[in-house]
Amino acid sequence: MTTINNAHQQAVGQVSVPPRLLLGPGPSNADPRVLQTMGMPTLSHLDPAFVPLMNDVQELLRYTWQTDNEYTIAVSGTGTAAMEAAVANLVEPGDVILVGVIGYFGERLVEMAVRYGADVRIIEKPWGDVFTLDELEAGLKAHNPAVLMLVHAETSTGALQPLAGVGDLCHAHNCLLLADSVTSLGAAPLFVDEWGIDAAYSCSQKGLSCPPGASPLTFSDRAMAKVNGRTHKVNSFYLDITLLAKYWLGAARGYHHTMSSNMIYALREGLRLVAEEGLEARWQRHQTNAELFWDGLAGIDLTCHVPDAANRIPSLTTVAVPDGVDAGAVAKRLLREYNIEVAGGFSKLAGKVWRVGLMGYNSRPENVVLLLQALERILHE
Ligand code: PLP
């Protein structure tokens, strides 16, 4: 018999984690109610006691996104999985796709659309800026795309792309609108149906106060008409919405993959918290705490990277790093000395900004005051 190799049989200790305050771009601290709920016993992905919980998630997602879309589900995986599901299903090889790039996540949409065989066209703005309706219309006229892809809350820059009216514009040009709402869902005003958004996706670990792992996705009837008219199969079995729908929709549910019931408990609880608070109050809470933070920044001689407050994401602020200050060193000290996590900028904004998230459970005044105090002390030394 082959002998067992015990070289890797290490006696590792029990997990012990520091009490971090996660004020970066995500994950944010999960609501304790979410953590408690996700510790309930695991159920099978097709257990008759589990299916109604999936239905609750769908209904509460429709509320949170302000949509009646039937095709509203949670994708296993992080925001990138839902992002890839949106792109994989809506892009057919050769489709002209227009991506409005205002930061890194727009670039990621470009990368994904290219991988799924699209003829990708790009319109761009400087990082921190957003498109006007006129600029988007000019892009639609110039490229005549099948889908316009935009990032609502561009986490790499802190800019919030206005979307009201964009769907109507797209539909007038026989084009679908895809919107990344990974950083805006549950934190900033978002009206999927009223704004004519045909495909949107998000994550669980930001405005919804859950750990990462199950990511919302919604498709309008218009989007589904494109999917159902495809001549090529979706190039991913795992992310094919028509296969996922057999598990998520209708009376007879069938196996597609083993969804994590514990992640669905978590998402359901996070969404239940949204519904209890109410969207209007929740959006206002994020805005109020963001403004408290922006005012406090001015008080310690720091400025926001996005100059116009109307274009700032209420749940994610990019703070300009003053000349001569080492952004990474400050972030390291915040973590080491105060257990506060914030993130630096990357790519075009590397070393130029800190990214500060006040999302979901963490959008509260005591966190704002604590971070401002810690920042002030570190910057003064
Ligand atoms: N899109 C945006 C705007 C994001 O901010 C992120 C992550 O921060 C993603 C997509 C990808 O999500 P995830 O990291 O959960 O896969």
Side-chain angles (χ1 to χ4, degrees), residues 78-80 83 105 108 151 153 155 180 182-183 205-206:
T78 65
T80 305
M83 182 180 201
F105 289 101
R108 184 180 283 197
V151 177
T155 326
D180 177 315
V182 170
T183 295
Q205 72 270 16
K206 300 194 192 203

Side-chain angles (χ1 to χ4, degrees), residues 182-262:
V182 170
T183 295
S184 55
L185 186 66
L190 175 53
F191 296 91
V192 162
D193 287 358
E194 197 179 311
W195 292 351
I197 297 168
D198 294 298
Y201 54 84
S202 192
C203 72
S204 51
Q205 72 270 16
K206 300 194 192 203
L208 301 184
S209 312
C210 299
S215 299
L217 175 71
T218 189
F219 278 170
S220 71
D221 290 348
R222 255 188 237 99
M224 284 312 299
K226 180 164 185 351
V227 171
N228 291 326
R230 289 179 65 104
T231 50
H232 303 75
K233 273 190 177 177
V234 173
N235 243 337
S236 161
F237 178 87
Y238 201 64
L239 301 176
D240 184 331
I241 186 76
T242 60
L243 302 179
L244 288 167
K246 291 185 179 138
Y247 173 52
W248 275 92
L249 304 177
R253 307 292 174 103
Y255 167 71
H256 173 259
H257 70 279
T258 309
M259 181 94 215
S260 160
S261 54
N262 297 75

Side-chain angles (χ1 to χ4, degrees), residues 59-71:
E59 266 303 272
L60 292 171
L61 271 178
R62 291 185 186 109
Y63 168 66
T64 308
W65 250 324
Q66 290 293 283
T67 181
D68 295 328
N69 287 343
E70 183 190 9
Y71 283 75

Side-chain angles (χ1 to χ4, degrees), residues 119-319:
D119 172 359
V120 180
R121 317 286 174 86
I122 296 169
I123 47 176
E124 271 182 288
K125 297 284 282 190
W127 286 32
D129 216 338
V130 295
F131 293 103
T132 62
L133 272 182
D134 286 346
E135 288 166 338
L136 293 174
E137 184 165 32
L140 292 172
K141 281 185 176 151
H143 299 286
N144 198 20
V147 185
L148 170 64
M149 300 185 173
L150 294 174
V151 177
H152 184 212
E154 183 42 91
T155 326
S156 63
T157 71
L160 187 71
Q161 171 64 52
L163 291 178
V166 180
D168 287 348
L169 207 59
C170 286
H171 301 150
H173 288 82
N174 200 22
C175 165
L176 299 175
L177 173 61
L178 173 149
D180 177 315
S181 64
V182 170
T183 295
S184 55
L185 186 66
L190 175 53
F191 296 91
V192 162
D193 287 358
E194 197 179 311
W195 292 351
I197 297 168
D198 294 298
Y201 54 84
S202 192
C203 72
S204 51
Q205 72 270 16
K206 300 194 192 203
L208 301 184
S209 312
C210 299
S215 299
L217 175 71
T218 189
F219 278 170
S220 71
D221 290 348
R222 255 188 237 99
M224 284 312 299
K226 180 164 185 351
V227 171
N228 291 326
R230 289 179 65 104
T231 50
H232 303 75
K233 273 190 177 177
V234 173
N235 243 337
S236 161
F237 178 87
Y238 201 64
L239 301 176
D240 184 331
I241 186 76
T242 60
L243 302 179
L244 288 167
K246 291 185 179 138
Y247 173 52
W248 275 92
L249 304 177
R253 307 292 174 103
Y255 167 71
H256 173 259
H257 70 279
T258 309
M259 181 94 215
S260 160
S261 54
N262 297 75
M263 269 317 300
I264 292 299
Y265 308 158
L267 192 53
R268 183 179 178 280
E269 193 63 16
L271 291 165
R272 206 158 78 93
L273 283 156
V274 173
E276 271 174 23
E277 184 173 7
L279 279 178
E280 206 177 346
R282 194 175 181 91
W283 294 337
Q284 189 54 56
R285 171 165 64 85
H286 282 82
Q287 187 64 30
T288 302
N289 290 322
E291 286 172 9
L292 184 67
F293 183 54
W294 301 337
D295 287 350
L297 286 174
I300 56 173
D301 296 326
L302 290 173
T303 55
C304 291
H305 171 70
V306 177
D308 184 351
N311 292 339
R312 291 181 200 149
I313 308 171
S315 51
L316 190 280
T317 299
T318 40
V319 182

